[in-house]
Amino acid sequence: MLGDRTLRLQHGNRIEALCVLGTHISADVYGAAPAGAVSFGVKHTEGVSVEVACRGQAEVGSAPGSRMQWPLDEGTVLRISMSQASTEVNDNKVTVSFYAEGGQPINQAGVFLTGIGISLDVDADRDGVVEKNNPNKASWTWGPEGHGAILLVSCDKESPFTPASDCDDERVFSKEDLLDMSRMVLRTKGPQRLPQGYEIILYIPISDADKVGVFYVQNPFFGQRYIHVLGRRKLYHTVQYTGGAAELDFFVEGLCFPDDTFSGLVSIHVSLLETLAEGIPHTPIFTDTVVFRVAPWIMTPNTLAPVNVFVCSMKDNYLFIKEIKNLVNKAGCELKACFGYINRGDRWMQDEIEFGYTHAPHKSFPVVLDSPRDGGLEQFPIKELLGPDFGYVTREPLFEAINSLDSFGNLEVSPPVTVAGKEYPLGRILIGSSFPTAAGRRMTRVVRDFLYAQQVQAPVELYSDWLSVGHVDEFVTFVPTSDAKRFRMLMASPAACYKLFREKQKEGQGEATMFKGYLGTDTKRVTINKVLSNDSLVQQNQYVQRCIDWNRDVLKKELGLTEEDIVDLPALFKLDKQGKAVPYFPNMVTMIILAKDLGIPKPFGPVMGGECCLERQTRSLLEPLGLRCCFLEEVASYHGRLGEVRCGTNVQRQPFAFKWWHVTP
C-alpha cells in the first residue's frame, strides 16, 4: 500500500484534502508559519490523529482539544491520519495556530479533511475467503506457511458456442465461467460522493496485459451483465464510486500458464487520483496492490487412481480393446474409445496428449497438454476433451523441427520422492533427450521450457536417443505398492533376461521355443539356445544395458532411490540399420497401470510346462507387491509398429490431494 504524502500548509488559509484510512499526511509547520511566529498549537476533530515530529525528537501525539504549544523549529512537521471514514465531505479538520513571543496569537492554517477507506482484497491466505486488507496481499511466498492469492487459467470451455477456450474470449456467458475465476473485492467507505477532482482507477501493468483478465458483474440483482474491464486491450478501468460502505466484486482469470518468459506472478493495482486544478493531469495519491500466482499445470503419476482410459478404435485392434475393457472393468474406471472419424488412422493415444490438472483453493479441473506431434489425433483433445471444467493447453515450436522425442510417450512423472532431504511431494517430471556430449534428438525447446516453468515437478532429463522411437516409457515406469515406499520403479533389463535364459539353459530348457502364437514373425524357430549363442545380439544388448544403466544412475540420484526400490523386468533389444534400439520381443515395461491392475504386453517368451517363463518371472517380481498382472496380446496392433500397450492407451487420473502451493521449489 502506497499512500503517505506531503501537504503544503498556508497561514491564513484553510485547504481541503482527502485522507485514505491507514495512510499519513505530512504537513510542514515551519514552512507555513507567518513572520514573527515562535511557537504553534494544534487542534483537531475526534476523527483525526495528529502527531508532532520535531527534528531529532520522537513524535508526540496531540489530543483533539489540546492547548499544548510547541516551539517552532525548522523541520517540524505534523503527521496526520484518520481511522474512521467520513460521512460527509470535509467533516473533519485540523487547525494550526501560530504564536509570537509571549503567547500572542498571530494567524492560523487549517486543513479540512475527508476520510475514505480503500482496500483491494483477495484470498491471500488461501482459505477460499476474501479477507479484508490482508497485510500479505501484495506479495507471494511458497510453502505451508506461505501466502499469496492464486489464479486459474481459464483454459476450459464453458459454452459450446465459442470457438476457443475461455481464456481466448473476453466474453462471459454464465455464472459457470465465473466459478473458474478468483474473486477480488474492492472495498470502499466514505461520504456519498468523492470531492471534486478525485477518481479511483483499477489497472494492470502492460507486461501483465496478456496474462490476466478481470471481469465486473453489472446489475448483480437484475439481469446480470459480465463486463470485461481489464486484459489484453484494457490496461485501466475507472471505478464508479458508490458512497457509504461498498464492496465491488471483480473476477480474475489467468490467460496463460507460466512459461520461460512468464514467472506466473501478476499484479493488479487500485489508485486514488487527484488533480490540483482543472486542466492539470491527475496524479496518484494512494495505491493498493494485490499479487496473484497463476496455478501451474501438474502431471499425474501412475500411482494415482485411474478415472478414464482412452484408446483408439482401429480395424485391427478389436480383440485388444476387448481385453483392455475387461482390465478397465476390474480396475473400476471407464473405457473411452476414440473412433476413426476422430483418430483418422492414428492409434498412438499416449503420444498425442498428456493428462494433468490445475488447482486453486476454490477449484480444480483436469487439463490436457497437447503434444506438437499433431498426427491423425490432432483434433481429438479439442473436439472430444475441451469443454466445461476440462482445460486444454499446447505448445507449438515456431522454427524447430518436430521429432519422435516430442511425442508424450517421452514424458513421464515419478511418484512423490525425497532426495537428500528435499521433498518433491508431486514427483518429478522425466523427459528423454540425447546424450549430453553428443548431438541428437531432443524434445522441442518450447515444451521443455513449459515443463520447467511450472516449478512444482522439477524435470529430470534422461538419455533416450539410443532408442529408435526414443521414449522414456520404453525403459522405465512406476507401479504403486502398499508398503512404506508406496511405489517401485520398473526398468527394462537385458541383463535380467540373459540371466533368466542362462538359468533355464542350465535346467535343460535350452530348446524352449519363443514366439509361439506370435503374429507377424518369420517362421524361423527361436529358442533360448539360439538367443544365447547369437553373439551380435549379445553385444547389442550389452550396449543397451549400458544406456539403461546410465539412466539408472541418474534416476537413483535425482529421485533418491536405492537398488531395493528398483525392479528389473526381463527385456531384449536389437539395433536397426541406424544403430537405434527396438524391442526384440514385446517390451513389458511399456505397460498400462490401473491401480493394482497392470496391463502388460504379452512377451511371447520361451514356453515351459505350458507357461511363458518371462510371464512367470514377471509375476514372481510384481505379485508379491500386491499387483495383478494381465498379459495383453498386442503384437499386430502395436508391437509390430514399434509401440506397446501404453503407447496405444492413455489414462486420466485423480489429482493429488497435496496442495501445490505448499511446495518449496
Side-chain angles (χ1 to χ4, degrees), residues 124-177:
D125 59 5
R126 306 167 183 164
D127 64 353
V129 177
V130 178
E131 62 275 5
K132 187 174 182 180
N133 217 10
N134 187 306
N136 297 316
K137 64 186 179 181
S139 61
W140 209 98
T141 58
W142 296 89
E145 304 303 318
H147 61 261
I150 293 166
L151 279 185
L152 292 175
V153 178
S154 295
C155 57
D156 63 340
K157 181 179 172 182
E158 299 294 348
S159 170
F161 307 111
T162 56
S165 56
D166 292 341
C167 58
D168 295 320
D169 198 329
E170 294 179 353
R171 296 170 295 173
V172 168
F173 292 96
S174 67
K175 286 183 179 179
E176 282 66 35
D177 265 349

Side-chain angles (χ1 to χ4, degrees), residues 92-93 110 113 138 144 156 194 228 250 264 276 280-281 352 447 467 476 494 518 526 535 538 541 624 652 655:
N92 281 272
K93 66 179 179 178
L113 293 166
D156 63 340
L194 286 177
H228 181 254
F250 295 88
L276 297 174
I280 303 296
E352 181 62 34
V447 176
L467 287 152
V476 64
Y518 184 94
V526 180
D535 292 338
V538 170
N541 277 280
Q652 179 196 348

Side-chain angles (χ1 to χ4, degrees), residues 497 500-501 504 509-516 526-529 531 572 584-585 603-616:
C497 189
L500 177 65
F501 282 9
K504 297 305 176 187
Q509 301 286 349
E511 288 302 306
T513 304
M514 298 184 70
F515 303 122
K516 280 189 175 179
V526 180
T527 64
I528 287 177
N529 288 336
V531 170
L572 285 182
Y584 183 72
F585 56 77
F604 291 94
V607 175
M608 302 163 195
E611 185 179 10
C612 167
C613 71
L614 292 173
E615 291 186 22
R616 186 189 305 128

Side-chain angles (χ1 to χ4, degrees), residues 440-492:
R441 298 171 297 173
R442 298 188 76 190
M443 182 179 281
T444 188
R445 185 184 182 94
V446 291
V447 176
R448 279 188 289 121
D449 286 346
F450 173 81
L451 296 172
Y452 277 93
Q454 306 314 305
Q455 296 195 67
V456 295
Q457 294 177 305
V460 178
E461 291 198 41
L462 300 173
Y463 171 39
S464 66
D465 191 33
W466 56 273
L467 287 152
S468 175
V469 176
H471 294 175
V472 291
D473 69 358
E474 295 178 78
F475 62 85
V476 64
T477 193
F478 300 88
V479 292
T481 62
S482 52
D483 56 10
K485 185 66 183 180
R486 310 301 297 172
F487 73 90
R488 292 291 188 278
M489 182 171 75
L490 309 186
M491 298 202 78

Side-chain angles (χ1 to χ4, degrees), residues 26-59:
S26 295
D28 179 9
V29 179
Y30 184 83
V38 295
S39 63
F40 69 95
V42 179
K43 290 184 180 180
H44 55 85
T45 51
E46 290 283 350
V48 181
S49 296
V50 178
E51 293 175 335
V52 179
C54 302
R55 181 181 291 176
Q57 297 181 17
E59 296 175 357

